[in-house]
């Protein structure tokens, strides 16, 4: 009788939460995860930025290759997680008659959701609402958006406009030198004007290539960050398992550090001081984000949430342990 009463209470709580969630958003499903069309609104802006960077030749080849390799790896892991493991006898809870029943079914290597019943809020927000609503967490995200997206885009815009002006001057100088050669003939060649004009054109061409290298130094980091945002949005929409979802930011953060190192510590280039300081600030921020947030906090909470809510049947948490697993609301 007690077990039936507890089952009835849990089912009633699940139904009330589903009703409140559907009332708050007509595009939300029963577990509170918004079903938006793919690509969602959150993925459209990063997709547009990444496309402009590719079309503007601002992305090094190693960054594009890294994204392709990581995408193939994640797709392989996703396919493995969804593959059926074996045919087992699934035991269910007490039915209306109070007995224990079992049904034949298949289990996958890494399920995304519990086999039946209500999906806890911890799967929707594995970090916990206490952390995600805190001022420190939101400030940290704003700093990352400023250093990783806004400031580099402003720099890229200025470098692109400057490069366009240089290329325009090069074309004008070439046309002018050609016009002088046609008008002056041998005098133009013998007076040294041709050599002087050629040196000016070569100098501007070298400077144009220098600006192009700077654009790739900054653009590679922004491109990887946009690809991470798109991949995370697709992972949430596809309801991938929590271990795969936390692997995405950890992998992209590590990959992005390889593109920031040449920016912060250039081997052969001399960067403007402001641009070098921005690269160094990004390097320090993303190292701190990986070592002090993603690994010790994000990975731990995502894996615990997956075990508690998906893999385990019943879990007892020690006193005072709720705060470390994101269970506080």
């Amino acid at each position: 009788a007690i077990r039936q009463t507890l089952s009835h209470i849990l089912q009633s709580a699940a139904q009330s939460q589903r009703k409140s969630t559907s009332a708050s958003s007509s595009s939300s499903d029963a577990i509170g995860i918004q079903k938006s069309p793919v690509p969602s609104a959150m993925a459209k802006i990063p997709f547009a930025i990444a496309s402009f960077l590719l079309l503007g030749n601002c992305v090094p080849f190693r960054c594009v290759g890294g994204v392709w390799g990581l995408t193939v790896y994640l797709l392989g892991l996703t396919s493995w997680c969804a593959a059926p493991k074996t045919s087992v006898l699934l035991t269910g809870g007490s039915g209306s008659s109070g007995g224990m029943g079992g049904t034949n079914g298949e289990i996958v290597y890494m399920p995304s959701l519990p086999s039946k019943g209500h999906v806890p809020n911890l799967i929707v927000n594995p970090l916990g609402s206490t952390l995600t609503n805190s001022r420190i967490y939101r400030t940290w995200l704003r700093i990352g958006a400023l250093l990783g997206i806004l400031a580099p885009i402003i720099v890229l815009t200025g470098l692109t406009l400057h490069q366009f002006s240089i290329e325009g001057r090069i074309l004008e100088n070439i046309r002018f030198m050609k016009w002088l050669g046609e008008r002056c003939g041998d005098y133009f060649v013998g007076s040294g004007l041709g050599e002087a004009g050629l040196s000016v054109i070569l100098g501007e061409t070298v400077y144009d290539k220098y600006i192009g290298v700077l654009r790739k130094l900054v653009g590679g980091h922004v491109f990887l960050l946009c690809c991470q945002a798109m991949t995370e949005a697709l992972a949430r929409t596809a309801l991938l398992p929590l271990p795969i979802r936390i692997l995405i930011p950890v992998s992209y953060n590590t990959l992005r550090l390889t593109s920031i190192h040449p920016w912060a510590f250039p081997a052969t280039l001399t960067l403007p001081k402001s641009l070098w300081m921005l690269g160094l600030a990004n390097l320090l921020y993303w190292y701190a984000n990986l070592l002090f947030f993603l690994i010790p906090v994000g990975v731990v909470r995502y894996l615990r949430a997956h075990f508690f809510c998906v893999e385990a049947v019943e879990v007892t948490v020690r006193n005072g342990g709720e705060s470390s697993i994101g269970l506080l609301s």
Side-chain angles (χ1 to χ4, degrees):
I2 297 176
R3 181 172 295 180
Q4 292 180 358
T5 303
L6 291 176
S7 177
H8 176 71
I9 293 174
L10 291 176
Q11 291 177 1
S12 301
Q15 292 177 0
S16 62
Q17 184 172 4
R18 282 194 287 265
K19 291 179 181 179
S20 61
T21 305
S22 60
S24 60
S25 176
S26 59
S27 60
S28 299
D29 64 0
I31 62 175
I33 300 178
Q34 188 172 0
K35 288 185 177 179
S36 55
V38 179
S40 62
M42 292 299 294
K44 288 181 180 179
I45 296 178
F47 177 77
I49 296 175
S51 301
F52 280 121
L53 292 176
L54 285 174
L55 294 176
N57 195 23
C58 297
V59 183
F61 177 76
R62 66 177 183 274
C63 294
V64 180
V67 170
W68 276 106
L70 188 56
T71 301
V72 172
Y73 174 69
L74 292 175
L75 288 176
L77 281 181
T78 304
S79 301
W80 174 81
C81 293
K85 186 176 182 181
T86 182
S87 180
V88 297
L89 182 66
L90 299 177
T91 58
S94 58
S96 58
S97 60
M100 301 292 292
T103 57
N104 290 326
E106 287 185 340
I107 61 174
V108 297
Y109 279 97
M110 186 179 294
S112 303
L113 300 173
S115 58
K116 64 176 183 177
H118 172 60
V119 177
N121 288 331
L122 194 57
I123 292 184
V124 181
N125 185 11
L127 294 178
S129 57
T130 302
L131 175 62
T132 55
N133 293 330
S134 64
R135 181 177 300 179
I136 297 177
Y137 178 78
R138 294 188 176 185
T139 303
W140 183 253
L141 293 182
R142 292 189 184 101
I143 295 174
L146 178 62
L147 292 177
I149 293 291
L150 296 180
I153 287 180
I154 294 174
V155 171
L156 282 173
T157 303
L159 291 175
T160 302
L161 294 177
H162 190 46
Q163 189 175 28
F164 284 162
S165 65
I166 294 174
E167 293 175 352
R169 288 201 306 267
I170 292 175
L171 293 177
E172 291 178 358
N173 290 333
I174 291 176
R175 295 192 190 100
F176 181 69
M177 297 297 293
K178 184 178 180 180
W179 180 81
L180 281 180
E182 293 175 352
R183 294 296 186 275
C184 301
D186 296 337
Y187 173 77
F188 174 75
V189 177
S191 62
L193 293 176
E195 296 180 358
L198 183 61
S199 63
V200 172
I201 294 175
L202 290 177
E204 291 183 341
T205 302
V206 172
Y207 187 63
D208 178 69
K209 292 183 179 180
Y210 170 75
I211 297 298
V213 173
L214 295 183
R215 293 174 63 212
K216 287 188 176 182
L217 280 179
V218 180
H221 159 69
V222 180
F223 174 77
L224 291 175
L225 197 57
C226 292
C227 291
Q228 175 184 339
M230 289 187 293
T231 308
E232 288 182 353
L234 292 175
R236 287 192 299 267
T237 304
L239 294 179
L240 297 186
L242 293 181
I244 304 299
R245 285 171 55 183
I246 193 58
L247 180 63
I248 294 173
V250 172
S251 302
Y252 269 103
N253 199 135
T254 306
L255 181 62
R256 202 162 50 249
L257 289 175
T258 61
S259 67
I260 302 177
H261 266 282
W263 179 8
F265 302 105
T268 58
L269 292 177
T270 301
L271 302 181
K273 188 175 181 179
S274 58
L275 186 58
W276 172 77
M277 292 180 63
L278 179 60
L280 186 60
N282 270 282
L283 185 67
L284 295 176
Y285 176 87
W286 295 110
Y287 261 121
N289 187 69
L290 177 66
L291 299 178
F292 299 115
F293 174 69
L294 284 179
I295 294 178
V297 179
V299 172
V300 172
R301 293 198 177 195
Y302 267 70
L303 294 183
R304 284 178 175 177
H306 177 76
F307 174 74
F308 290 163
C309 302
V310 180
E311 299 288 353
V313 177
E314 182 179 356
V315 176
T316 301
V317 182
R318 62 176 174 83
N319 293 332
E322 295 87 355
S323 59
S324 63
I325 58 176
L327 291 178
L328 290 179
S329 58

